[in-house]
Amino acid sequence: MTYCKRGTEGLIYLEDGTLLRGCGFGAKGVRYGEVVFTTAMNGYPESMTDPSYRGQILIITHPLVGNYGVPDPIVRNGILQNFESEKIQIEGLVVTEETDPSKWNSSKSLHQWMVEQGVPGVSSVDTRLLVKKVRTLGSMMGVIASGEQVEDPRKHIELRYDEIDFTRFTSPKSPIIHQNNSPDIIVLVDCGIKHGILEELYKTGFTIVRVPCKSSADEIMNYSPKGVVFGNGPGNPNILKDLVKNFSAVMEYKLPTLGICLGHQVATLALGGNVRKMKFGHRAINKPVTDVSNNKCYISTHNHGYGVYKEDIPPDTQIWFVNPDDGVVEGLIHKKFPLITTQFHPEARPGPNDTTWVFQKFKKMVIKDEGN
Amino acid sequence: MKGIKKVLVVGSGPIKIAEAAEFDYSGSQSLKAYREEGIETVLVNSNVATVQTSYGMTDKLYMVPVTWWSVEKVIEQERPDAIAIGFGGQTALNVGVDLYKRGILQKYGIRVLGTPIEGIEKALSREKFRETMIDVKIPVPPSFSAKSSEEALEKAEEIGYPVMVRVSFNLGGRGSTVAWDRESLRKSIDRAFSQSYIGEVLVEKYLHHWKELEYEVVRDSKGNSAVIACVENLDPMGVHTGESIVITPCQTLDNKELQEMRTLSMKVAESISLVGECNVQFALDPSSYTYYVIETNPRMSRSSALASKATGYPLAYVSAKLSLGYTLEEILNKVSGATCACFEPSLDYVVMKIPRWDLQKFEEVDTSLSTEMKSVGEIMSIGRSFEEALQKGLRMLDIGEPGVVGGRYYMSTAPKDDALKKLSKRIPYWPIWAAKAFKEGASVEEVYKVTGVDRFFLRKIENLVKTFEGIKGSKLDLEKLKYLKTLGFSDEQVAVAINSSEEEVWKVRSSNRILPNIKLIDTLAGEWPAVTNYLYLTYVGSEDDIELNSTGNNLLIVGAGGFRIGVSVEFDWGVVELMKASLKYFDQVAVLNYNPETVSTDWDVTRKLYFDEISAERVLDIVNKEKYTYVATFAGGQLGNNIAKKLEERGVKLFGTSGSSVDMAEDREKFSKLLDKLGIKQPEWISARDSGEIRKFVDQVGFPVLVRPSYVLSGSSMSIVRSEQELEEVIQRARLSTRYPVVISKFLENAFEAEVDAVSDGKGVIGVVMEHVEEAGVHSGDSTMSIPTRKITPVVQDLKKISLTLAREIGVKGPFNLQFVIKDNMPYVIEMNLRASRSMPFSSKAKGVNLMEMAVKGILQGLDLDEFMEPESKSWAVKSPQFSWTQLKDSYPFLGPEMRSTGEAASLGTSFYDALLKSWLSCSPNRLPKQGKIALVYGKENIDSLREAGQNLERYGLTVNTLDFAEISGFDVVNPEDALSLIRKGQVDLVVTNGYMKNLDYNIRRTTVDLNIPIILNGRLAKEVSHAMSLNEMTFYEIRRYGGGI
């Protein structure tokens, strides 16, 4: 057997038949999900609580994870400052080594946190081997087990990731209001919003109303918003027909609109473009995006398994950002409506703050629109 | 960028502490980047030992001093369109600023590539930097600048102690110091001022136990930037970053800290209009989100070389491209071959750097680490666990430690307090003391209190201790062995713990195929398929990233490892030249090395690179996994030779001379018998195990004798013993034992020393004979060498004959170096090394014959000679040693049989004196003294030469004074106090002395070097240099015009 510091074994299984045995940590249990990897070298509390990871087993490629532990949540104006949502969203975590923390503001270890939240983890497996599999064969379903015997891991895979609407788990049931200095309202369609986005929006000074993902255009317009934001969220945009329909309906009002990540994909679909599943997606905090209007290059945070390709952009839109490495469209600007979108995460968390100006740009759009 | 057809690249000159081989690497990369664009390159660099000073790297080469006046001469002839000053360390940057300030660049219409001079000045003046930071709202530590001692003391009171005093415009933190109270500040402040290039120091709040971090930033002319690495120092603030053990990526920062400082580092780059690369240093409070920017280096630096090797992102290459106007997005990431340079590397491994010190070679030197750099080299280790990287790293240092635990000190009976004391005094290599402290029961808190190292790392070290103690006496099972291997334990460590032998553990391991995996460094954590062969080995993982080669005729070259005194960039030259020369003979040539400063560890130069340990264990692992027809151990100096025998015993085929032949030359007894058999003279010697044997020998041969104690036991160095009393002291110190005998030999006084660098195929020899200016007794590495010979010319034929005889008798296949002492026209052999030598790049470049290329030819094809062939000299070549006395605080500057120089420079000339003067002036702080100033000439040895030197200096235009206790007749005598005061007042511009007089002249020598005043420590050298000064005839030609260069 492998030497395991917690005396627990664990395994990770990929659909192609790859089975790696290592050590278990976190909660005991068996979970399944789409297996994806992030190359971010820190920021695990943020990544693990990012609702966009719902339904996914996350591999972290950097070998040491947990070094600075997990802090107590800090909440300001109803917005989490150091997590992306209230709980761990991933189905399971795969790392090379789960470490014991040391940090002035750490309240618990990664292991303890995952125990509390009921999320299993596996360590002491060759994560690079897994990454190479995913890189070569594409994202696939997998099973993670910690401290439990698994006879036939295949039997644990119940549904395909692409077929599940995860937003019903990550979207709030009723509206949430973050009152601000300005009475002017921005409605945020929350399909599992990252608190980083909330925070950046809140910094614009507007009052933010988070409405459930399935809210209709009327429900949104009832708030008389000065602008609308379609945020990030988990899963396959192609099955979120209602959301796409609602987006189209909201567009009729020609309000300043910002789409981020899932919001960018939904906008693309609503406007007549296509969104395709990528081979293994972008999940990293080191990705370049080029603003094609001025050829400026930014380092940005990505977390998307679906993407818009150049040939798939909707009519009346122009490419705003592109990833110079693989040509994936990372942002759009509408030629007629005040709509801008980014596929990447300008709020970062975790990641570089080089593109937070996107929120300022949106703010200007809202103010300008008001002037009109 | 349009209109640039010719670029002048400024090198960093000879290696000194804080300016080392990393600039060979960065300079080479820049040359490559420029040449790729079809731009002609002109390199100015006097560092003959480098890889960059060859025509494979640059179109034109000027081996002249790297100073503004010398570079101006080159500019006059070459008329370059642009100058690159960002790849030769602080030396090149200073030259650039000088050329600009004197209007020379403007006069010749030369553009400065990369960051503009105004930006550089903002970064280099502490005050300007601070102002700039405050302007752009970047937090800096509370501090004030001061232009006088009084002002500094006053400001310190305002800030409150402890304070840190930093010097502007300096290298390696020279002259900066921590003062805990007014008294200690008063003591150090004058020295700080003397080090300041612009007469200004900074007094700032001392951030006790704060964390220190560095960010490496690239920025293009359009303002795009990316942060290539975050480097975390394990040592806290107060230990110079060059002295710190560091890890990358940063391990203990959360997203907020990492990103906020990252954003600021880009803002810093923007504020100095950076185009290219810079590093930005931060201090971070270990218990809050408070941080400050400390400084920036607007050029390639030691840390950027490290970051390049650690991440695979070629910073110097990219930086050179950016300096031509390219944007980050336009440059291809050469590692992935598919992505652009506008990205930030992600690592799926950790990298550590550990500095290498050689402080035991220096008398009186301050051995505790502080804000000034004293290390002479560094190693880089890669692992997929912290433990693996750290343990590998400690072995790579080649200081006799088998890892963090299980070494001599660890296994000793030293108590906890002793270990804690070593930690609190910041004695180099703290992980060893920390491990011992944990073993003796210290808590993490106790160790934290004295070190300030983050508890995260301390816990990991504590766990290594627990693991090691836990397996003591147990039986080994395979799963446990695998586990231990993931924590970086070597076979030797495992053997120590379970009372077995290293060979036994190795056998168990290899018969069960417990071998490390070969992983790829790809800058992208596996996200994209990489196209390079930049590899490391790890036990943390279960598959190899590469297809293992199992066929073909393949060569594995063992590198030189970490640099130290005596092993430096010259051996990297050997490795690179061997690699290049053997490419055409082999299907695959790979290099194994772990020194981040070097060209040989540039994956873009090496076809296949294992960045890993050099040990018998690791080489055997590699040949166990992949097919290598031969392993070459002769290019990288002694490190390879040390494992050659073991490799041969375990079935590895060595390239070139066999392991047993190497042994014949290196085993003193065997070699001595061989010399006797061949009738070749050698100084009489014995290997003594007790004082009786020593006395008997000394009675026979008489004083003086050369004593070489076993370093392992006594830690003391080689010395020349001239009296009963000295002999008594040495015997006391040497702690004689049968296991560690002392080697004593007759020392031949006033003799000449000469050496032969050569290659052989066992039949003929191609070689170069070199003569030392200093007499025998000064270590060859500290000597000034001349090609061709001057005074020993009558015996040159004898030296050649002896070389040929020995090469044939031993069966040398490949390079060798033979050292002679010549007394009364009679040569005595003192040493033979069957490997590349320190002087080989010099002898090769002086003659225009690449000896390493010849070595490969000799081994594989034969030399077609049956004699000793020496290529003709078309001019004079002189090599001079570079010392780093100033940096080695408190050390006593003197020359002896122990090597103490840190680097070397060479020049070619139309006469011996032309070459000598340029070569000597290439070494800092040497300069032509100002006429009218004083030269202080005194000494106890080489009196006649010293007198002649004094007369030459008078002729040159100096006033010569001598000292009452070591008077040289014919000059005005001053007493030591007056002399010291003249030195302090800046009236003395040169000190010339000879001999060891520590009790009498410590303050004089020390003050001289502290104030950067040139000092010559040998009479014979002084005589020649002073003569050269009085002639003052220097030529500045491209080296092909002297008939040199390779």
Side-chain angles (χ1 to χ4, degrees):
Chain A
M1 62 154 272
T2 312
Y3 272 71
C4 294
K5 66 175 175 185
R6 306 196 187 280
T8 311
E9 290 180 51
L11 66 82
I12 171 77
Y13 168 81
L14 304 187
E15 243 186 329
D16 73 328
T18 306
L19 177 72
L20 298 186
R21 292 184 187 278
C23 299
F25 69 100
K28 290 193 166 47
V30 186
R31 301 275 276 272
Y32 78 98
E34 187 182 48
V35 180
V36 297
F37 64 87
T38 175
T39 61
M41 298 185 285
N42 82 340
Y44 53 90
E46 288 86 352
S47 294
M48 290 166 70
T49 55
D50 177 351
S52 296
Y53 278 118
R54 193 68 190 230
Q56 291 174 325
I57 294 169
L58 181 64
I59 303 166
I60 294 181
T61 59
H62 188 66
L64 279 73
V65 182
N67 303 2
Y68 54 87
V70 180
D72 284 325
I74 297 169
V75 181
R76 249 190 343 240
N77 309 309
I79 301 167
L80 281 159
Q81 302 296 307
N82 47 358
F83 294 95
E84 291 307 290
S85 70
E86 288 77 6
K87 61 172 191 173
I88 299 179
Q89 302 283 356
I90 58 168
E91 301 296 327
L93 184 69
V94 184
V95 297
T96 300
E97 179 187 347
E98 150 259 328
T99 59
D100 296 317
S102 169
K103 185 86 177 177
W104 59 278
N105 62 353
S106 167
S107 75
K108 59 192 74 159
S109 68
L110 174 65
H111 162 72
Q112 200 185 343
W113 188 42
M114 289 170 68
V115 169
E116 285 171 17
Q117 304 243 339
V119 178
V122 169
S123 69
S124 306
V125 292
D126 191 335
T127 49
R128 188 173 167 91
L129 181 158
L130 295 170
V131 166
K132 282 162 65 190
K133 290 269 180 199
V134 172
R135 169 182 96 192
T136 315
L137 302 171
S139 300
M140 56 189 130
M141 298 300 286
V143 174
I144 184 170
S146 169
E148 276 190 30
Q149 292 299 318
V150 177
E151 287 296 315
D152 182 357
R154 279 171 302 179
K155 286 186 180 158
H156 290 268
I157 302 172
E158 293 164 22
L159 292 165
R160 312 294 306 170
Y161 174 81
D162 305 331
E163 295 159 1
I164 307 169
D165 176 2
F166 292 101
T167 61
R168 54 201 166 98
F169 306 118
T170 52
S171 171
K173 300 288 173 270
S174 53
I176 302 167
I177 297 172
H178 300 275
Q179 193 64 49
N180 209 336
N181 295 335
S182 163
D184 291 344
I185 284 172
I186 300 290
V187 167
L188 167 66
V189 181
D190 182 351
C191 301
I193 197 71
K194 287 178 69 188
H195 281 233
I197 294 177
L198 266 182
E199 175 68 13
E200 290 300 325
L201 287 174
Y202 193 82
K203 278 193 210 157
T204 60
F206 300 111
T207 292
I208 310 298
V209 178
R210 285 155 71 187
V211 300
C213 192
K214 59 179 193 307
S215 305
S216 68
D218 287 350
E219 284 168 318
I220 291 167
M221 293 312 296
N222 271 345
Y223 291 97
S224 308
K226 304 288 182 194
V228 183
V229 178
F230 286 79
N232 68 297
N236 181 359
N238 292 304
I239 63 170
L240 304 175
K241 306 283 186 207
D242 288 346
L243 183 61
V244 172
K245 202 178 72 199
N246 292 338
F247 185 96
S248 302
V250 171
M251 282 302 285
E252 305 276 316
Y253 296 91
K254 296 184 181 170
L255 283 173
T257 305
L258 169 66
I260 297 174
C261 199
L262 180 67
H264 159 83
Q265 297 166 357
V266 166
T268 302
L269 291 170
L271 296 167
N274 287 318
V275 179
R276 285 187 270 173
K277 174 99 177 170
M278 297 167 71
K279 192 171 183 189
F280 57 92
H282 293 173
R283 288 173 194 86
I285 64 171
N286 64 342
K287 295 273 180 193
V289 290
T290 305
D291 181 340
V292 297
S293 70
N294 57 11
N295 272 326
K296 268 210 75 145
C297 183
Y298 300 91
I299 307 295
S300 58
T301 297
H302 291 215
N303 178 8
H304 58 104
Y306 297 85
V308 178
Y309 292 85
K310 279 178 184 163
E311 59 273 26
D312 292 339
I313 65 166
D316 292 329
T317 58
Q318 63 189 48
I319 295 174
W320 183 14
F321 290 105
V322 70
N323 179 321
D325 292 339
D326 59 7
V328 169
V329 176
E330 290 288 334
L332 289 168
I333 294 180
H334 202 280
K335 290 176 183 166
K336 295 179 178 158
F337 302 131
L339 164 70
I340 57 172
T341 69
T342 67
Q343 174 67 79
F344 63 90
H345 288 266
E347 81 288 359
R349 281 194 27 179
N353 302 314
D354 302 1
T355 48
T356 48
W357 57 267
V358 166
F359 293 97
Q360 294 310 310
K361 184 181 170 79
F362 176 61
K363 179 183 178 178
K364 277 185 201 148
M365 282 164 63
V366 173
I367 291 167
K368 194 175 149 205
D369 190 64
E370 253 180 318
N372 295 343
Chain B
M1 200 176 274
K2 287 206 179 88
I4 293 183
K5 294 199 179 73
K6 196 193 251 189
V7 171
L8 190 149
V9 176
V10 185
S12 67
I15 289 184
K16 42 222 166 262
I17 288 176
E19 256 190 325
E22 64 269 20
F23 301 114
D24 190 18
Y25 163 63
S26 51
S28 298
Q29 280 223 332
S30 70
L31 290 165
K32 183 165 53 189
Y34 292 133
R35 284 175 109 187
E36 269 179 14
E37 302 291 325
I39 295 171
E40 184 184 1
T41 57
V42 180
L43 173 67
V44 179
N45 196 357
S46 54
N47 191 335
V48 66
T50 53
V51 178
Q52 61 179 253
T53 48
S54 62
Y55 293 119
M57 290 284 176
T58 185
D59 297 315
K60 287 186 172 174
L61 171 63
Y62 285 80
M63 233 153 59
V64 296
V66 185
T67 57
W68 69 267
W69 52 265
S70 168
V71 174
E72 186 186 13
K73 297 264 197 285
V74 177
I75 289 173
E76 268 174 23
Q77 291 176 62
E78 291 291 339
R79 306 294 173 114
D81 306 303
I83 187 167
I85 59 172
F87 305 99
Q90 195 63 41
T91 297
L93 221 49
N94 288 347
V95 166
V97 172
D98 279 343
L99 288 169
Y100 178 80
K101 284 192 168 161
R102 289 167 193 274
I104 296 162
L105 298 180
Q106 298 85 325
K107 180 179 159 195
Y108 292 94
I110 296 170
R111 289 161 77 169
V112 176
L113 293 182
T115 310
I117 299 279
E118 293 84 351
I120 291 169
E121 287 184 314
K122 263 187 205 168
L124 293 183
S125 151
R126 302 265 166 206
E127 192 158 310
K128 275 190 197 163
F129 179 66
R130 194 178 162 77
E131 275 169 22
T132 309
M133 292 304 101
I134 292 168
D135 279 353
V136 294
K137 298 194 170 57
I138 293 174
V140 287
S143 81
F144 298 97
S145 72
K147 287 202 152 59
S148 71
S149 307
E150 295 69 37
E151 196 186 354
L153 286 159
E154 199 177 294
K155 298 281 168 70
E157 293 296 329
E158 277 177 47
I159 297 169
Y161 290 95
V163 295
M164 161 102 95
V165 178
R166 287 171 175 267
V167 176
S168 299
F169 223 121
N170 62 347
L171 310 165
R174 218 151 86 192
S176 54
T177 176
V178 173
W180 292 87
D181 50 39
R182 197 181 165 84
E183 199 39 48
S184 61
L185 178 60
R186 195 196 297 280
K187 275 186 186 158
S188 52
I189 194 73
D190 287 342
R191 186 160 155 272
F193 272 107
S194 69
Q195 302 291 322
S196 173
Y197 194 77
I198 53 173
E200 172 188 296
V201 301
L202 197 72
V203 183
E204 66 183 30
K205 184 83 197 151
Y206 176 47
L207 305 164
H208 182 59
H209 278 189
W210 281 42
K211 294 164 81 79
E212 189 165 350
L213 304 138
E214 287 178 78
Y215 285 73
E216 301 295 327
V217 188
V218 284
R219 186 171 181 276
D220 65 26
S221 49
K222 283 196 178 156
N224 298 310
S225 49
V227 176
I228 302 314
C230 171
V231 180
E232 178 168 357
N233 289 13
L234 270 63
D235 298 76
M237 288 290 291
V239 176
H240 187 278
T241 179
E243 303 285 86
S244 284
I245 296 179
V246 307
I247 189 164
T248 187
C250 289
Q251 292 296 314
T252 65
L253 303 189
D254 63 21
N255 179 61
K256 181 180 162 70
E257 292 164 332
L258 185 75
Q259 297 302 337
E260 286 182 358
M261 286 188 277
R262 177 189 167 283
T263 304
L264 285 185
S265 67
M266 290 164 78
K267 251 174 110 173
V268 170
E270 191 186 350
S271 72
I272 59 165
S273 315
L274 181 84
V275 177
E277 198 273 347
C278 76
N279 77 344
V280 182
Q281 285 171 31
F282 289 90
L284 170 69
D285 185 350
S287 54
S288 82
Y289 283 122
T290 313
Y291 43 78
Y292 299 120
V293 168
I294 303 299
E295 65 175 32
T296 184
N297 285 301
R299 54 170 169 84
M300 284 299 296
S301 63
R302 169 172 296 261
S303 68
S304 47
L306 180 77
S308 302
K309 298 293 166 67
T311 61
Y313 190 103
L315 280 164
Y317 173 86
V318 169
S319 197
K321 294 283 186 194
L322 295 178
S323 77
L324 293 173
Y326 285 100
T327 63
L328 281 171
E329 206 198 345
E330 288 166 345
I331 303 168
L332 184 74
N333 174 358
K334 282 180 122 187
V335 177
S336 72
T339 54
C340 74
C342 182
F343 85 109
E344 300 186 349
S346 175
L347 281 56
D348 56 2
Y349 51 85
V350 294
V351 175
M352 296 190 75
K353 171 211 87 177
I354 310 178
R356 172 69 153 83
W357 294 269
D358 255 341
L359 297 174
Q360 77 287 346
K361 285 179 180 273
F362 298 89
E363 293 194 14
E364 307 300 321
V365 71
D366 176 7
T367 54
S368 44
L369 305 185
S370 66
T371 52
E372 297 183 38
M373 194 164 155
K374 288 180 229 166
S375 58
V376 287
E378 62 188 15
I379 62 84
M380 180 179 114
S381 61
I382 307 171
R384 276 169 59 84
S385 71
F386 169 80
E387 294 84 347
E388 184 178 47
L390 181 62
Q391 297 229 74
K392 265 189 192 181
L394 281 160
R395 288 193 287 275
M396 287 171 171
L397 290 167
D398 194 30
I399 53 171
E401 293 295 327
V404 176
V405 295
R408 211 164 34 244
Y409 182 70
Y410 184 87
M411 301 301 277
S412 77
T413 54
K416 181 175 100 176
D417 286 351
D418 185 65
L420 288 175
K421 205 170 126 194
K422 284 188 157 64
L423 288 169
S424 66
K425 283 172 83 178
R426 297 207 181 282
I427 305 295
Y429 313 119
W430 62 261
I432 298 163
W433 326 133
K436 176 70 171 169
F438 288 130
K439 184 194 173 199
E440 302 302 333
S443 67
V444 166
E445 280 314 304
E446 274 177 282
V447 176
Y448 176 76
K449 216 179 138 206
V450 289
T451 60
V453 175
D454 195 297
R455 294 169 186 88
F456 174 75
F457 302 115
L458 294 179
R459 288 214 177 98
K460 289 215 161 265
I461 293 171
E462 189 191 28
N463 274 330
L464 276 176
V465 172
K466 282 183 185 161
T467 306
F468 184 77
E469 294 301 312
I471 55 164
K472 267 191 184 166
S474 72
K475 280 196 73 177
L476 197 64
D477 70 69
L478 296 181
E479 286 304 321
K480 191 187 287 170
L481 182 57
K482 276 187 205 165
Y483 173 67
L484 292 173
K485 283 293 179 186
T486 65
L487 296 178
F489 284 94
S490 64
D491 291 351
E492 184 192 345
Q493 275 175 304
V494 175
V496 168
I498 63 165
N499 270 325
S500 176
S501 71
E502 183 256 330
E503 192 171 1
E504 203 50 47
V505 177
W506 174 72
K507 277 183 185 157
V508 170
R509 206 164 53 72
S510 46
S511 61
N512 289 285
R513 302 292 297 167
I514 300 175
L515 295 171
N517 289 117
I518 300 175
K519 296 271 184 196
L520 203 62
I521 289 177
D522 60 10
T523 71
L524 293 155
E527 191 180 352
W528 293 74
V531 291
T532 60
N533 269 320
Y534 182 10
L535 312 165
Y536 69 102
L537 287 92
T538 177
Y539 281 93
V540 184
S542 49
E543 71 163 7
D544 296 309
D545 272 344
I546 56 162
E547 211 165 298
L548 303 175
N549 68 47
S550 53
T551 56
N553 184 26
N554 308 325
L555 174 68
L556 175 67
I557 300 171
V558 172
F563 292 159
R564 66 208 70 177
I565 286 178
V567 179
S568 192
V569 68
E570 61 276 8
F571 288 107
D572 198 55
W573 174 87
V575 172
V576 172
E577 294 302 328
L578 171 61
M579 190 261 302
K580 285 183 179 164
S582 34
L583 283 175
K584 65 177 170 195
Y585 298 100
F586 289 92
D587 298 322
Q588 193 180 75
V589 178
V591 170
L592 169 66
N593 200 5
Y594 55 78
N595 185 335
E597 303 172 57
T598 57
V599 175
S600 70
T601 56
D602 181 352
W603 51 261
D604 208 19
V605 168
T606 308
R607 295 292 168 91
K608 183 169 184 174
L609 171 66
Y610 301 94
F611 203 108
D612 220 280
E613 287 179 67
I614 295 174
S615 61
E617 176 179 341
R618 194 43 42 105
V619 173
L620 289 165
D621 286 340
I622 292 171
V623 297
N624 222 327
K625 290 187 81 99
E626 295 206 77
K627 190 194 169 203
Y628 284 100
T629 324
Y630 295 108
V631 173
T633 54
F634 62 72
Q638 200 52 37
L639 190 61
N641 264 11
N642 288 347
I643 59 170
K645 207 172 150 209
K646 199 183 228 176
L647 292 177
E648 205 171 55
E649 283 165 6
R650 293 193 191 171
V652 172
K653 257 168 92 181
L654 297 179
F655 188 54
T657 313
S658 74
S660 56
S661 294
V662 170
D663 194 47
M664 205 193 295
E666 292 196 346
D667 183 306
R668 252 173 193 279
E669 305 270 356
K670 289 181 193 164
F671 187 58
S672 182
K673 278 194 190 122
L674 180 71
L675 292 178
D676 287 345
K677 189 185 106 184
L678 299 171
I680 299 167
K681 280 198 186 303
Q682 57 184 315
E684 289 167 274
W685 69 282
I686 59 157
S687 171
R689 289 171 176 78
D690 60 57
S691 56
E693 282 179 18
I694 294 178
R695 290 192 190 287
K696 205 175 136 204
F697 176 76
V698 175
D699 284 347
Q700 265 171 28
V701 303
F703 289 110
V705 289
L706 182 67
V707 184
R708 186 200 297 257
S710 160
Y711 165 65
V712 181
L713 263 195
S714 62
S716 58
S717 51
M718 240 191 304
S719 54
I720 296 164
V721 169
R722 297 176 190 279
S723 68
E724 269 310 320
Q725 194 198 335
E726 284 175 19
L727 185 65
E728 192 56 44
E729 282 169 25
V730 167
I731 291 172
Q732 290 295 322
R733 260 186 297 150
R735 291 164 62 191
L736 293 159
S737 79
T738 42
R739 199 167 157 213
Y740 299 109
V742 169
V743 173
I744 299 193
S745 55
K746 173 68 188 161
F747 176 68
L748 301 170
E749 268 186 302
N750 291 321
F752 291 99
E753 192 165 338
E755 31 191 311
V756 171
D757 274 344
V759 300
S760 177
D761 55 359
K763 294 189 204 78
V765 171
I766 295 178
V768 180
V769 186
M770 295 165 284
E771 178 177 332
H772 295 192
V773 172
E774 294 84 349
E775 67 278 10
V778 174
H779 189 282
S780 75
D782 290 352
S783 298
T784 307
M785 290 185 186
S786 167
I787 297 174
T789 57
R790 301 167 64 226
K791 315 220 160 155
I792 61 149
T793 306
V795 295
V796 163
Q797 284 314 318
D798 298 340
L799 305 188
K800 291 181 178 176
K801 214 178 112 195
I802 292 170
S803 304
L804 188 64
T805 309
L806 279 170
R808 284 177 176 168
E809 187 65 24
I810 293 175
V812 177
K813 286 208 162 88
F816 70 96
N817 168 273
L818 195 53
Q819 294 180 23
F820 297 92
V821 171
I822 295 134
K823 175 86 176 170
D824 303 328
N825 277 339
M826 175 59 73
Y828 298 79
V829 168
I830 46 178
E831 208 175 300
M832 183 176 192
N833 289 302
L834 303 191
R835 53 166 169 79
S837 75
R838 192 176 306 113
S839 44
M840 232 164 238
F842 169 62
S843 47
S844 294
K845 286 167 190 174
K847 294 280 190 179
V849 173
N850 189 334
L851 287 175
M852 207 41 82
E853 212 175 278
M854 289 296 145
V856 177
K857 190 171 173 248
I859 295 166
L860 293 169
Q861 292 184 336
L863 297 171
D864 289 329
L865 284 172
D866 54 2
E867 50 166 8
F868 187 112
M869 199 278 278
E870 182 173 27
E872 185 198 345
S873 276
K874 299 179 191 81
S875 62
W876 287 86
V878 173
K879 174 166 94 79
S880 299
Q882 166 74 52
F883 295 93
S884 296
W885 303 116
T886 314
Q887 289 88 338
L888 293 160
K889 197 167 153 187
D890 298 345
S891 65
Y892 178 65
F894 74 102
L895 302 180
E898 192 75 41
M899 181 166 163
R900 295 185 181 86
S901 61
T902 54
E904 60 197 2
S907 252
L908 273 62
T910 51
S911 69
F912 168 73
Y913 291 104
D914 174 15
L916 172 70
L917 189 57
K918 283 185 302 194
S919 171
W920 185 79
L921 286 171
S922 292
C923 298
S924 113
N926 297 348
R927 57 180 182 249
L928 288 174
K930 282 203 188 83
Q931 265 115 352
K933 291 228 176 182
I934 298 169
L936 191 63
V937 181
Y938 68 98
K940 286 210 161 154
E941 288 161 32
N942 274 327
I943 304 295
D944 292 341
S945 297
L946 288 173
R947 186 177 303 112
E948 214 174 310
Q951 288 157 357
N952 288 340
L953 292 170
E954 279 181 338
R955 212 164 32 246
Y956 171 79
L958 296 175
T959 305
V960 174
N961 284 175
T962 188
L963 282 176
D964 52 10
F965 62 79
E967 187 185 329
I968 305 296
S969 59
F971 305 112
D972 287 347
V973 179
V974 292
N975 66 42
E977 289 72 40
D978 291 346
L980 211 51
S981 127
L982 288 171
I983 293 169
R984 288 215 177 101
K985 278 191 246 164
Q987 294 182 25
V988 174
D989 224 14
L990 179 67
V991 173
V992 170
T993 182
N994 199 148
Y996 178 92
M997 294 167 274
K998 199 169 76 187
N999 298 333
L1000 299 170
D1001 74 341
Y1002 175 83
N1003 284 335
I1004 286 176
R1005 289 193 191 187
R1006 205 47 239 175
T1007 308
T1008 303
V1009 297
D1010 279 341
L1011 298 178
N1012 279 319
I1013 296 164
I1015 187 167
I1016 300 177
L1017 295 163
N1018 178 276
R1020 286 194 191 176
L1021 175 65
K1023 185 178 89 179
E1024 304 291 11
V1025 169
S1026 57
H1027 184 66
M1029 282 174 178
S1030 63
L1031 294 174
N1032 200 0
E1033 288 167 355
M1034 291 187 273
T1035 57
F1036 295 83
Y1037 300 136
E1038 209 281 329
I1039 66 164
R1040 265 176 286 221
R1041 276 189 64 186
Y1042 299 105
I1046 51 170

